[in-house]
């Protein structure tokens, strides 16, 4: 195991928890201090199980460790597959003292967290994220849930993990398209809150895309630090936390339109952030040069910069109408005040939104 484990904390009073980041942590770091009882249920999928399940079992010495292996994919983030977690827990007589372990990307993490929030009215869980996207975003902050055919992540709960273990070595087996998807969320932090980080990303993107371990660790640490800060201030998204959804309103519309799993979440967010930047520019907050920087960075991360062919402005308007940020039918968006600063707002000209949608749809 590496001797350079970095630690951050998500400060939420008696629900505070650590995030450990380092290489070689899977199979090596003893996590039993995060387990209240003596039983653990690892939830993973059929892609990750052959790669990392056996190692993860060794993180819980002395515990009885069961497992449930789900089918891989966003299209399985639904009630039916969620129920398999409950089946496995009940068949193996897990009690309220059990601890679930989410071993995988954001799909496994969101579903396991939601199962933990519901099982016997709530049990503990630990996040062991294995995609870049889940390491920088979905494993931190306690948003859990599943998709509904009419909307992404529409059924869920806030439920914080007991801890997050990020083994950066797992990224070496990640397909390039998934690396790019994770980089979308990394870029997001620069855009919404940290102009210095954004400039660092512009310089460092080639190293990140080629999986340079040192650059990735730095990007993960800075991303998690940003997310932990925001979540500590606004756990349940009463206000500030919504800025973490930059590009997501457009992005969720793309994901739903394309069919879950056809566009990766991060890909949709990448295009969505560019659309949000375009709308911000139309409102006068960004310059054309700012827009160029955003587009260059999103392209450099290997992400798409236009929505899927055939998607129309009407499709966007219909799908964006069910976004969770909307209040009483009023569309709310995250827009940029400048590169490095975001706001949640309803105050954009409807004509500008329509122009952005028309400009991007093809
Ligand atoms: P994912 O979970 O589908 O994982 C992507 C693919 O990579 C899957 O096929 C997975 O099996 C595979 N994989 C995972 N780790 C691997 C590894 N180390 N090596 C090889 N293959 C590996 O996708 P994701 O991008 O991690 O997560 C997307 C999901 O996260 C979406 O459902 C999204 O809604 C959710 N999300 C949640 C939050 C939150 O705050 N809860 C935030 C962002 C995204
Ligand atoms: N990914 C958005 C959030 O956690 O709030």
């Amino acid at each position: 195991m590496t001797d350079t484990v970095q630690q951050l904390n998500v400060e939420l009073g008696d629900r505070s928890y650590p995030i450990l980041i380092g290489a070689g942590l899977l199979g090596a770091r003893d996590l039993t201090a995060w387990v209240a009882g003596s039983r653990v249920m690892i939830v993973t999928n059929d892609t990750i199980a052959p790669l990392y399940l056996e190692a993860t079992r060794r993180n819980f010495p002395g515990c009885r460790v069961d497992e449930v292996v789900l089918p891989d994919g966003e299209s399985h983030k639904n009630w039916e597959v969620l129920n398999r977690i409950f089946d496995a827990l009940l068949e193996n007589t897990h009690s309220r003292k059990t601890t679930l372990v989410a071993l995988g990307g954001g799909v496994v993490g969101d579903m396991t967290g939601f199962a933990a929030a519901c099982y016997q009215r709530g049990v503990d869980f630990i996040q062991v994220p294995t995609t870049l996207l889940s390491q920088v975003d979905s494993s931190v902050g306690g948003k859990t849930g599943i998709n509904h055919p009419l909307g992404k992540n529409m059924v869920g709960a806030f439920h914080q993990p007991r801890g997050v273990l990020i083994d950066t070595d797992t990224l070496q087996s990640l397909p390039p398209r998934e690396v790019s998807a994770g980089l979308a969320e990394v870029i997001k932090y620069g855009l919404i809150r940290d102009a210095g980080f954004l400039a660092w990303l512009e310089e460092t993107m080639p190293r990140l895309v080629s999986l340079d371990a040192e650059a990735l660790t730095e990007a993960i640490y800075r991303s998690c630090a940003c997310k932990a800060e925001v979540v500590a201030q606004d756990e349940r998204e009463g206000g500030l936390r919504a800025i973490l959804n930059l590009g997501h309103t457009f992005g969720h519309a793309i994901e739903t339109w394309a069919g879950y799993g056809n566009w990766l979440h991060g890909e949709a967010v990448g295009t969505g952030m560019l659309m949000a930047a375009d709308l911000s520019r139309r409102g006068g907050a960004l310059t054309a040069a700012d827009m160029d920087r955003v587009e260059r960075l999103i392209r450099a991360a290997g992400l798409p910069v236009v929505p899927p062919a055939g998607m129309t402005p009407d499709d966007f308007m219909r799908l964006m109408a069910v976004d969770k940020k909307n209040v009483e039918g009023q569309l709310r968006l995250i827009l940029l005040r400048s590169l490095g600063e975001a706001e949640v707002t309803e105050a954009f000209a409807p004509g500008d939104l329509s122009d952005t949608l028309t400009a991007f749809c093809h």
Side-chain angles (χ1 to χ4, degrees):
M1 181 175 55
T2 176
D3 49 6
T4 53
V5 180
Q6 302 194 57
Q7 177 165 342
L8 287 159
N9 290 309
V10 183
E11 302 293 351
L12 290 169
D14 59 2
R15 285 170 296 101
S16 298
Y17 54 94
I19 305 171
L20 302 181
I21 305 167
L25 300 180
L26 268 193
R29 185 84 182 196
D30 184 340
L31 295 182
T32 47
W34 294 353
V35 176
S38 60
R39 296 194 61 186
V40 164
M41 172 72 78
I42 300 177
V43 183
T44 188
N45 73 29
D46 48 18
T47 302
I48 300 152
L51 298 171
Y52 302 118
L53 180 56
E54 276 320 300
T56 307
R57 297 174 76 89
R58 293 198 296 279
N59 290 100
F60 301 95
C63 294
R64 176 174 154 191
V65 181
D66 296 319
E67 67 203 40
V68 54
V69 179
L70 307 177
D72 186 6
E74 183 77 37
S75 61
H76 298 291
K77 190 177 169 185
N78 57 30
W79 274 116
E80 195 193 356
V81 176
L82 179 76
N83 222 16
R84 293 199 203 173
I85 305 176
F86 299 131
D87 292 347
L89 288 165
L90 290 166
E91 281 160 15
N92 290 283
T93 61
H94 280 253
S95 74
R96 294 184 76 181
K97 273 197 136 182
T98 196
T99 297
L100 307 196
V101 176
L103 171 66
V107 169
V108 165
D110 281 11
M111 292 181 77
T112 307
F114 189 38
C118 300
Y119 186 66
Q120 301 199 6
R121 301 197 183 88
V123 298
D124 286 347
F125 84 115
I126 293 169
Q127 289 273 17
V128 183
T130 61
T131 60
L132 181 58
L133 183 139
S134 56
Q135 294 182 353
V136 300
D137 190 355
S138 61
S139 64
V140 175
K143 279 191 182 176
T144 73
I146 57 172
N147 298 329
H148 185 279
L150 294 180
K152 174 98 182 111
N153 294 332
M154 277 294 155
V155 180
F158 284 99
H159 191 55
Q160 300 292 344
R162 288 289 308 272
V164 182
L165 182 85
I166 298 177
D167 184 338
T168 53
D169 284 347
T170 58
L171 299 178
Q172 298 301 325
S173 59
L174 202 60
R177 198 176 154 200
E178 299 291 349
V179 174
S180 294
L183 287 170
E185 303 283 7
V186 175
I187 292 169
K188 174 186 80 180
Y189 295 112
L191 287 172
I192 60 173
R193 232 173 127 75
D194 191 341
F197 186 40
L198 192 70
W200 181 85
L201 287 172
E202 289 176 308
E203 261 173 45
T204 316
M205 193 51 77
R207 286 172 61 203
L208 292 169
V209 170
S210 60
L211 294 180
D212 177 289
E214 197 189 329
L216 280 170
T217 304
E218 172 82 9
I220 293 165
Y221 184 89
R222 290 177 78 164
S223 298
C224 286
C226 179
K227 181 144 187 189
E229 247 177 60
V230 171
V231 169
Q233 287 178 54
D234 179 22
E235 181 185 8
R236 293 200 164 227
E237 203 167 302
L240 175 72
R241 183 167 177 167
I243 64 169
L244 296 173
N245 290 310
L246 176 70
H248 285 57
T249 308
F250 297 104
H252 284 167
I254 293 174
E255 281 185 274
T256 307
W257 187 89
Y260 297 136
N262 291 321
W263 267 55
L264 302 182
H265 175 75
E267 292 173 333
V269 167
T271 298
M273 289 192 299
L274 193 57
M275 295 175 80
D278 183 72
L279 183 52
S280 310
R281 179 188 63 79
R282 288 175 198 275
L286 298 188
T287 62
D290 292 333
M291 261 305 278
D292 282 351
R293 279 181 67 188
V294 179
E295 181 167 346
R296 262 201 308 275
L297 190 57
I298 288 172
R299 280 186 193 279
L303 292 160
V305 292
V306 285
M311 192 170 177
T312 64
D314 283 350
D315 292 329
F316 270 103
M317 290 308 289
R318 176 174 51 81
L319 291 163
M320 296 200 309
V322 293
D323 191 83
K324 291 192 285 301
K325 287 182 296 304
N326 298 343
V327 180
E328 295 181 348
Q330 176 71 49
L331 188 59
R332 298 171 83 211
L333 292 170
I334 318 306
L335 296 180
L336 295 173
R337 286 197 183 122
S338 63
L339 294 185
E341 197 188 353
E343 63 178 342
V344 189
T345 181
E346 310 166 353
F348 49 86
D352 284 349
L353 175 60
S354 161
D355 288 347
T356 291
L357 295 177
T358 305
F360 277 78
C361 288
H362 60 110

